[in-house]
Amino acid sequence: MDELNQLQRRIQIARGQLPADFVLRNATLVNVCSGECYPADVAIADGLVVGISDPGGYHGREERDLQGRWLAPGLIDGHMHIESTMLVLAEFARIVVPRGVTAVMLDPHEFANVLGVAGIRYVLESGRGLPLAAYVMLSSCVPASSYESPYRVLLADDLLPLLEDERVLGLAEMMNMPGVLSGDEQVLAKIIATRRHGLVVDGHAPGLDGRDLSAYAAAGIMSDHECTTIEEARARLRLGMWLMIREGSAARNLDALLPLVQELHPPRVFFVTDDRDPQDLTTRGHIDSMVRRAIELGLAPVEAIRLASYNTAQYFRLFDRGAVAPGFVADLVVLDDLETFQVESVYKDGRLIARAGQLLVDIAPMGAINLAPTGVTDTVHIGNVQEADLRIAGRPGLIEVVGIEPGQITTLHLREEAPLRDGAIVADPERDLLKLVVIERHHASGSVGLGLVKGFGLRKGALASSVAHDAHNLVIAGASDHDILLAARTLEAMGGGFACVVDGEVRAQVPLPYGGLVSPLSAAELVQQLRALDAAAAELGCTLEHPCMTLSFLSLSVIPSLKLTDQGLIDVDTFTLLPLQR
């Protein structure tokens, strides 16, 4: 049937002249367009909602009586990194689709840092054939800054061909604020190319305010997910930017920012998860957990759902998604309870795909869990790094120390008296000071960044991670150089992941062989490995709930205040390299 005949048929179905493909009868419709809930029948044809009527108004070749259950649009995550879940997209879909999530906006800049353009293409390909609309935002900052060493730098010309893909919706978080504000040609070329294609440009502007924030918005950057205070959020809304309220595993901003939504009810706000680890994902949930929490905090359920569906779709210019209304894609969630967002079943393109917490459809081969993707393994190579390379020459006096802020990806910029032994700065577990090491792992260059970190509580041993935002070099915190080096070699041997080492023994490890970022295992198996790792760290005195998640952000050179990359200590507030000891 051609497009004209299809459209004529839908019109006839909407008018009641033909039976619908499928009718959901006796629903309580959650209307995110009008802000109401009311009884309705919903007619579906060709995967689209074609009609809404009073109960009894439509008939179909197939029908289901919802018996008053709530019918809401499928949820959309407006900004997330699949790499943070440590799961392949197929396994991620198995978890979130039964929770009511029908679309996600993926920023694959972790894979892009590790594999270049091939990493972005891998994410695009692995999203095909899934019962989940997996859109991609092109990674804007690879590396996040010039102080990080990725697999290779991605330029505007590298991204241009990808803008033609129908599942690419824009340019992902523009972290290079200095580049935007100084008018850097490469940075602005990416923005210009994206806007020429009619696509959106996401922002990432922690702490930016005043005229610099105006300049950032004037450059064409449309949103920000880094707001932690109402003042920051209000400033962005006043400039016409979209506020992405983030509730990740490490950075949780919903409770702090929701009062602004309750005060202003602004139209340019939506929910994102950004980074959710698999333990959090399988217990607390995904975007559905944000809806529940917002309702708990007093937001009207219809508005909470709107922030997780319609508003998100409007921002990304997906004008046929995010609502239960004629002409909209029939991505629908049936709820047993509106207040707790208790999902009974999920429909994708008008087809039942999940019920009672279980996915009912097969995953296409490209998304198969155990598919070994070509070119995404064997990505960790550190060369001939030795213990001598970890020695830090020092003298009595103060040193710069990275301070952990529990529950945040920001860090403190501390100064502590240098712990010395034989003319070298060493770890001092009694003062909660560990050596912090970052080793370049893409080209075995031997580049090593050295510093100290406070806040882990580790009494001995070492923790290591190849998940190290955003360049994903190896990051290790430890009490002895011997254990630090063993932990690094352990990661190299298993192709990346996490490791806990003490007294020359590997106590726990979590292999993440896909780019050193993602596991081919099921979520249940991966969570079991992660819990064993956390338990091993706790036995060594670690006081953090998920220490490797914290570790993974200590090299992110665009999040304040003090970070360490393979190039050295970065004062993010001044965006300069800093000597460990002045």
PDB file of all heavy atoms in Angstrom, residues 44 110 175 193 243 247 317 322 358 415 428 495 555 574:
ATOM      1  N   ILE A  44      -5.359   2.127  16.906  1.00  0.00           N
ATOM      2  CA  ILE A  44      -3.999   2.048  16.388  1.00  0.00           C
ATOM      3  C   ILE A  44      -4.025   1.408  15.006  1.00  0.00           C
ATOM      4  O   ILE A  44      -4.731   0.422  14.773  1.00  0.00           O
ATOM      5  CB  ILE A  44      -3.114   1.212  17.335  1.00  0.00           C
ATOM      6  CG1 ILE A  44      -2.996   1.909  18.701  1.00  0.00           C
ATOM      7  CG2 ILE A  44      -1.730   0.983  16.740  1.00  0.00           C
ATOM      8  CD1 ILE A  44      -2.405   1.041  19.782  1.00  0.00           C
ATOM      9  N   GLU A 110      32.224   7.508  24.984  1.00  0.00           N
ATOM     10  CA  GLU A 110      33.196   6.597  25.595  1.00  0.00           C
ATOM     11  C   GLU A 110      33.784   5.687  24.511  1.00  0.00           C
ATOM     12  O   GLU A 110      35.005   5.545  24.380  1.00  0.00           O
ATOM     13  CB  GLU A 110      32.553   5.762  26.703  1.00  0.00           C
ATOM     14  CG  GLU A 110      31.473   6.445  27.525  1.00  0.00           C
ATOM     15  CD  GLU A 110      31.940   7.657  28.300  1.00  0.00           C
ATOM     16  OE1 GLU A 110      33.146   7.975  28.286  1.00  0.00           O
ATOM     17  OE2 GLU A 110      31.097   8.327  28.906  1.00  0.00           O
ATOM     18  N   MET A 175      31.332  19.794  25.754  1.00  0.00           N
ATOM     19  CA  MET A 175      32.072  19.987  27.004  1.00  0.00           C
ATOM     20  C   MET A 175      33.160  21.040  26.901  1.00  0.00           C
ATOM     21  O   MET A 175      33.607  21.569  27.910  1.00  0.00           O
ATOM     22  CB  MET A 175      32.689  18.651  27.438  1.00  0.00           C
ATOM     23  CG  MET A 175      31.669  17.612  27.802  1.00  0.00           C
ATOM     24  SD  MET A 175      32.427  16.027  28.255  1.00  0.00           S
ATOM     25  CE  MET A 175      32.908  15.426  26.654  1.00  0.00           C
ATOM     26  N   ALA A 193      27.799  22.546  11.340  1.00  0.00           N
ATOM     27  CA  ALA A 193      27.381  21.412  10.508  1.00  0.00           C
ATOM     28  C   ALA A 193      26.115  20.765  11.059  1.00  0.00           C
ATOM     29  O   ALA A 193      25.210  20.391  10.304  1.00  0.00           O
ATOM     30  CB  ALA A 193      28.512  20.387  10.432  1.00  0.00           C
ATOM     31  N   LEU A 243      16.542  22.614  30.027  1.00  0.00           N
ATOM     32  CA  LEU A 243      17.137  22.052  31.234  1.00  0.00           C
ATOM     33  C   LEU A 243      16.950  20.543  31.229  1.00  0.00           C
ATOM     34  O   LEU A 243      15.816  20.050  31.252  1.00  0.00           O
ATOM     35  CB  LEU A 243      16.489  22.664  32.473  1.00  0.00           C
ATOM     36  CG  LEU A 243      16.864  22.046  33.825  1.00  0.00           C
ATOM     37  CD1 LEU A 243      18.347  22.258  34.120  1.00  0.00           C
ATOM     38  CD2 LEU A 243      16.005  22.628  34.943  1.00  0.00           C
ATOM     39  N   GLU A 247      19.620  12.419  36.790  1.00  0.00           N
ATOM     40  CA  GLU A 247      19.626  11.562  37.971  1.00  0.00           C
ATOM     41  C   GLU A 247      20.383  10.295  37.587  1.00  0.00           C
ATOM     42  O   GLU A 247      19.818   9.311  37.116  1.00  0.00           O
ATOM     43  CB  GLU A 247      18.201  11.239  38.422  1.00  0.00           C
ATOM     44  CG  GLU A 247      18.107  10.467  39.719  1.00  0.00           C
ATOM     45  CD  GLU A 247      18.377  11.303  40.972  1.00  0.00           C
ATOM     46  OE1 GLU A 247      18.675  12.506  40.837  1.00  0.00           O
ATOM     47  OE2 GLU A 247      18.299  10.743  42.075  1.00  0.00           O
ATOM     48  N   ARG A 317      13.047  17.231  18.363  1.00  0.00           N
ATOM     49  CA  ARG A 317      12.292  17.460  17.135  1.00  0.00           C
ATOM     50  C   ARG A 317      11.701  16.168  16.586  1.00  0.00           C
ATOM     51  O   ARG A 317      11.524  16.015  15.376  1.00  0.00           O
ATOM     52  CB  ARG A 317      13.166  18.168  16.095  1.00  0.00           C
ATOM     53  CG  ARG A 317      13.653  19.526  16.611  1.00  0.00           C
ATOM     54  CD  ARG A 317      14.666  20.202  15.744  1.00  0.00           C
ATOM     55  NE  ARG A 317      15.072  21.478  16.352  1.00  0.00           N
ATOM     56  CZ  ARG A 317      16.039  22.260  15.884  1.00  0.00           C
ATOM     57  NH1 ARG A 317      16.703  21.924  14.804  1.00  0.00           N
ATOM     58  NH2 ARG A 317      16.344  23.383  16.504  1.00  0.00           N
ATOM     59  N   GLY A 322       6.202  10.636  21.991  1.00  0.00           N
ATOM     60  CA  GLY A 322       6.133  11.190  23.336  1.00  0.00           C
ATOM     61  C   GLY A 322       4.746  11.504  23.851  1.00  0.00           C
ATOM     62  O   GLY A 322       4.609  12.066  24.941  1.00  0.00           O
ATOM     63  N   GLN A 358       8.672  -8.669  31.888  1.00  0.00           N
ATOM     64  CA  GLN A 358       9.448  -9.523  30.993  1.00  0.00           C
ATOM     65  C   GLN A 358       9.312  -9.063  29.547  1.00  0.00           C
ATOM     66  O   GLN A 358       8.225  -8.715  29.091  1.00  0.00           O
ATOM     67  CB  GLN A 358       8.975 -10.979  31.101  1.00  0.00           C
ATOM     68  CG  GLN A 358       9.151 -11.597  32.471  1.00  0.00           C
ATOM     69  CD  GLN A 358      10.604 -11.690  32.899  1.00  0.00           C
ATOM     70  OE1 GLN A 358      11.467 -12.085  32.112  1.00  0.00           O
ATOM     71  NE2 GLN A 358      10.880 -11.331  34.147  1.00  0.00           N
ATOM     72  N   ARG A 415      44.936  20.656  49.621  1.00  0.00           N
ATOM     73  CA  ARG A 415      46.392  20.748  49.814  1.00  0.00           C
ATOM     74  C   ARG A 415      46.741  20.061  51.129  1.00  0.00           C
ATOM     75  O   ARG A 415      46.144  20.354  52.157  1.00  0.00           O
ATOM     76  CB  ARG A 415      46.862  22.203  49.817  1.00  0.00           C
ATOM     77  CG  ARG A 415      46.781  22.859  48.435  1.00  0.00           C
ATOM     78  CD  ARG A 415      47.353  24.272  48.421  1.00  0.00           C
ATOM     79  NE  ARG A 415      47.374  24.806  47.080  1.00  0.00           N
ATOM     80  CZ  ARG A 415      46.368  25.428  46.489  1.00  0.00           C
ATOM     81  NH1 ARG A 415      45.239  25.602  47.167  1.00  0.00           N
ATOM     82  NH2 ARG A 415      46.467  25.879  45.255  1.00  0.00           N
ATOM     83  N   ASP A 428      49.856   7.407  51.963  1.00  0.00           N
ATOM     84  CA  ASP A 428      49.805   7.397  53.425  1.00  0.00           C
ATOM     85  C   ASP A 428      48.385   7.003  53.843  1.00  0.00           C
ATOM     86  O   ASP A 428      47.554   7.862  54.139  1.00  0.00           O
ATOM     87  CB  ASP A 428      50.183   8.764  53.980  1.00  0.00           C
ATOM     88  CG  ASP A 428      50.274   8.775  55.505  1.00  0.00           C
ATOM     89  OD1 ASP A 428      49.954   7.739  56.137  1.00  0.00           O
ATOM     90  OD2 ASP A 428      50.661   9.813  56.073  1.00  0.00           O
ATOM     91  N   GLY A 495      41.803  -7.231  28.882  1.00  0.00           N
ATOM     92  CA  GLY A 495      41.201  -6.347  27.892  1.00  0.00           C
ATOM     93  C   GLY A 495      40.401  -5.220  28.481  1.00  0.00           C
ATOM     94  O   GLY A 495      39.572  -4.614  27.807  1.00  0.00           O
ATOM     95  N   SER A 555      39.616  11.235  36.253  1.00  0.00           N
ATOM     96  CA  SER A 555      40.452  11.730  35.157  1.00  0.00           C
ATOM     97  C   SER A 555      39.658  12.569  34.158  1.00  0.00           C
ATOM     98  O   SER A 555      40.174  12.915  33.096  1.00  0.00           O
ATOM     99  CB  SER A 555      41.115  10.553  34.424  1.00  0.00           C
ATOM    100  OG  SER A 555      40.146   9.689  33.879  1.00  0.00           O
ATOM    101  N   THR A 574      40.735  26.645  36.427  1.00  0.00           N
ATOM    102  CA  THR A 574      41.528  27.567  35.597  1.00  0.00           C
ATOM    103  C   THR A 574      41.920  26.943  34.271  1.00  0.00           C
ATOM    104  O   THR A 574      42.503  27.607  33.420  1.00  0.00           O
ATOM    105  CB  THR A 574      42.804  28.006  36.341  1.00  0.00           C
ATOM    106  OG1 THR A 574      43.612  26.833  36.615  1.00  0.00           O
ATOM    107  CG2 THR A 574      42.460  28.693  37.649  1.00  0.00           C
TER     108      THR A 574
END
